[in-house]
Amino acid sequence: MMLLSMAYQLTLHENLIEKLLSPANLDNAWKRVKANKGSAGIDGMTIDDFPTFANANWEHIKTQIAQGTYRPSPVLRVNIPKPDGGTRKLGIPTVLDRFIQQAIHQVLNPLFDPHFSPYSYGFRPNCNAAQAVTHLQTGIKSGRKIAIDIDLSKFFDRVNHDLLMHKLGLKIKDKVLMKLIGRYLRARIVEHGKRVKPTQGVPQGGPLSPLLSNIMLDELDKTLEKRGHHFARYADDFTILVKTKRAGERVLTSISLFIKQILKLVVNEKKSRVGAVKETRFLGFGFKYGRIKIHDNSLQRFKYRVRELTNRNWGIAMSKQIASLNRYLRGWGNYFLIANDYQLCVDLDQWIRRRIRMCFWRQWRKPRSKVKNLLKRGVPLALAISCGATRKGVWRSAKTKGINQALSNEYLANAGLVSLRDIWIKIHHG
DNA sequence: GTCACCTCGCA
RNA sequence: GGAUGCGAGGUGAC
Ligand SMILES: Nc1ncnc2c1ncn2[C@H]1C[C@H](O)[C@@H](COP(=O)(O)OP(=O)(O)OP(=O)(O)O)O1
Ligand SMILES: [Mg+2]
């Protein structure tokens, strides 16, 4: 019995490096790194350079990995703006290290993922944001009216190395692999040519980092489950549902304490709150009367983007413009239209069509819009004539009428403009 | 059903 | 400008 379990452990956990270095695993890892088409790390080596480099050096690197002597290169620090105005510190490993981390990810994920909480939805195979949101919805429908939103401050940047290594050590018995991961955590960061030693955090940009972050918060999930809370977590974004405000306040303080003391992470006090579910924002959604709504901020961003896509550039072929508008609408709709609000779709469709007509109206006012140019761009004849007529002194109303006629909803539908209404129907009765 | 490329959304 | 996972649409090859 003991022998059996030891043999089991040996094959499953102690020989992970071999699995890691197996040709099939490496092949998949490289495919993925290549498909992401990322840029070079600190060594300047691009995706295209890598195959020739690997042909010459991989055997050597492979031996180093197997023997536990491989040392990762430092990561390149790049600051990019966040939507909220702050900056996000990316840590970009070299292509070689992304390849190796990806290979590690593929070995570790099947080991850890099956044991994660079913209410953790971020960075996991077969899990998506819609599932997380609908899970919250069922909790709301069953009478929970109070939501606790907790946000972690600079989540990836503050992961505690010792604690993470401890959690990894509980499952990974392969000392060589543990050492390699430890070296990845301690890989130097290069910013403005200076090397700094990280004391905490996983790089935002490392293929392994998302999995490590889930391993880090797994204990939180399990604790919430054990306490019988209805919750959903997506990366560091999570919402817990309770019945009363009093219970909410109590849970917020106790969970905050857990996060600070046990997980050694920092709760973003400003973004954390407890209140009615109708005030909650989770993954771009909100809730109202037990229904999923698109949050105002998400709608605002949508309208801004549609304005951007319609405002200028109508000087070029209209079919091109409709195509780019279409792919945006499809992508956006397929994510957000799980919100069960049919009327909103109809309204948005109408809003989009009005915008398109309005942009034409503005543009054809300009003298350079000659009728035959309009025709060349694929503008319907009736519209072109009406614009020509306007410049000859016919009333504006004639132009408006011409545009409305020429760019009718029917015409735009024929031109292939997708409607959110159709996407909604496909999602809700498909 | 698999894979490749392009696009959109969320953390 | 880095990454993961998932979902969606399109083009293409088996
Ligand atoms: N574009 C991205 N690239 C890499 N990792 C990301 C990206 N967006 C989000 N993440 C990961 C790392 C973040 O720590 C984690 C949570 O994201 P987010 O809450 O937006 O920022 P944050 O937790 O780092 O800062 P903040 O203090 O503003 O909450 O998800
Ligand atoms: Mg955060």
Side-chain angles (χ1 to χ4, degrees), chain A residues 80-84 86-91 123 151-159 202-206 209-210 213 234-237 266 268 271:
Chain A
I80 58 165
K82 273 198 286 194
D84 66 25
T87 66
R88 166 163 271 124
K89 293 169 184 303
L90 301 179
F123 310 127
D151 182 80
L152 302 186
S153 173
K154 312 239 174 265
F155 175 37
F156 276 35
D157 303 335
R158 297 196 205 264
V159 169
V202 291
Q204 300 190 37
S209 300
S213 81
Y234 198 109
D236 75 335
D237 199 351
V266 178
N268 192 334
K271 287 196 207 163

Side-chain angles (χ1 to χ4, degrees), chain A residues 356-394:
Chain A
I356 292 171
R357 286 191 275 267
M358 201 174 91
C359 290
F360 268 90
W361 198 94
R362 284 212 197 117
Q363 177 151 3
W364 305 148
R365 193 172 46 190
K366 294 168 191 163
R368 64 180 163 81
S369 303
K370 295 276 189 281
V371 172
K372 70 178 186 214
N373 287 344
L374 301 184
L375 288 170
K376 244 193 314 203
R377 290 170 193 151
V379 175
L381 185 60
L383 174 57
I385 290 168
S386 87
C387 292
T390 308
R391 276 202 317 287
K392 283 179 195 149
V394 177

Side-chain angles (χ1 to χ4, degrees), chain A residues 28-60:
Chain A
N28 288 333
W30 170 241
K31 272 186 190 155
R32 179 50 67 90
V33 172
K34 189 157 65 96
N36 285 330
K37 295 186 311 184
S39 63
I42 192 68
D43 59 356
M45 193 189 316
T46 62
I47 301 279
D48 295 331
D49 298 337
F50 186 73
T52 50
F53 166 84
N55 278 336
N57 300 292
W58 178 247
E59 281 308 317
H60 177 58

Side-chain angles (χ1 to χ4, degrees), chain A residues 62-334:
Chain A
K62 188 171 156 177
T63 325
Q64 284 186 320
I65 292 172
Q67 291 173 349
T69 55
Y70 174 77
R71 287 182 182 281
S73 304
V75 297
L76 178 64
R77 167 73 85 230
V78 172
N79 294 308
I80 58 165
K82 273 198 286 194
D84 66 25
T87 66
R88 166 163 271 124
K89 293 169 184 303
L90 301 179
I92 304 169
T94 62
V95 171
L96 171 62
D97 285 319
R98 296 210 293 269
F99 168 57
I100 297 169
Q101 280 196 38
Q102 178 65 29
I104 298 173
H105 173 264
Q106 287 166 3
V107 169
L108 292 191
N109 203 45
L111 214 58
F112 283 92
D113 194 82
H115 306 290
F116 285 155
S117 165
Y119 311 115
S120 164
Y121 297 91
F123 310 127
R124 297 185 59 191
N126 310 316
C127 294
N128 59 42
Q131 292 163 347
V133 173
T134 46
H135 179 248
L136 281 190
Q137 187 190 24
T138 63
I140 292 165
K141 277 184 177 164
S142 64
R144 278 164 266 247
K145 298 255 182 288
I146 301 295
I148 305 151
D149 299 325
I150 301 180
D151 182 80
L152 302 186
S153 173
K154 312 239 174 265
F155 175 37
F156 276 35
D157 303 335
R158 297 196 205 264
V159 169
N160 183 290
H161 285 0
D162 292 339
L163 198 52
L164 176 58
M165 288 304 285
H166 171 75
K167 287 170 182 296
L168 289 170
L170 296 176
K171 271 233 175 60
I172 304 171
K173 297 303 175 193
D174 187 322
K175 293 285 182 257
V176 177
L177 179 57
M178 284 295 289
K179 191 162 138 192
L180 181 59
I181 295 172
R183 283 182 171 172
Y184 269 115
L185 294 180
R186 291 188 304 272
R188 303 303 189 258
I189 299 163
V190 173
E191 187 174 21
H192 314 303
K194 281 193 186 153
R195 282 183 187 220
V196 295
K197 183 160 75 171
T199 57
Q200 56 178 9
V202 291
Q204 300 190 37
L208 194 54
S209 300
L211 174 63
L212 296 179
S213 81
N214 270 340
I215 291 169
M216 203 54 198
L217 290 190
D218 182 50
E219 193 180 350
L220 172 70
D221 301 331
K222 296 293 160 60
T223 302
L224 292 171
E225 276 188 62
K226 209 157 48 192
R227 297 189 190 178
H229 288 128
H230 196 114
F231 73 100
R233 182 174 73 79
Y234 198 109
D236 75 335
D237 199 351
F238 67 101
T239 295
I240 307 165
L241 299 173
V242 291
K243 295 218 167 82
T244 67
K245 180 106 179 177
R246 265 187 77 84
E249 303 285 2
R250 185 173 48 75
V251 171
L252 176 60
T253 53
S254 97
I255 294 301
S256 296
L257 204 66
F258 178 87
I259 289 165
K260 277 179 237 176
Q261 294 192 334
I262 310 290
L263 298 179
K264 312 252 187 270
L265 289 164
V266 178
V267 174
N268 192 334
E269 310 276 359
K270 289 202 166 169
K271 287 196 207 163
S272 304
R273 54 165 285 285
V274 34
V277 286
K278 61 187 309 183
E279 308 290 330
T280 301
R281 185 162 104 92
F282 185 63
L283 306 180
F285 295 95
F287 303 92
K288 208 170 181 181
Y289 310 121
R291 295 177 82 97
I292 300 168
K293 308 284 284 187
I294 299 169
H295 197 271
D296 288 343
N297 294 32
S298 314
L299 268 182
Q300 222 175 318
R301 270 205 305 278
F302 170 78
K303 289 188 175 179
Y304 180 84
R305 187 84 180 97
V306 171
R307 273 190 206 106
E308 226 171 38
L309 286 170
T310 49
N311 247 344
R312 264 190 202 285
N313 303 332
W314 283 96
I316 59 168
M318 192 163 73
S319 59
K320 278 271 184 196
Q321 294 302 318
I322 287 182
S324 66
L325 195 54
N326 275 352
R327 74 187 132 94
Y328 177 71
L329 292 176
R330 256 195 261 271
W332 188 88
N334 278 321

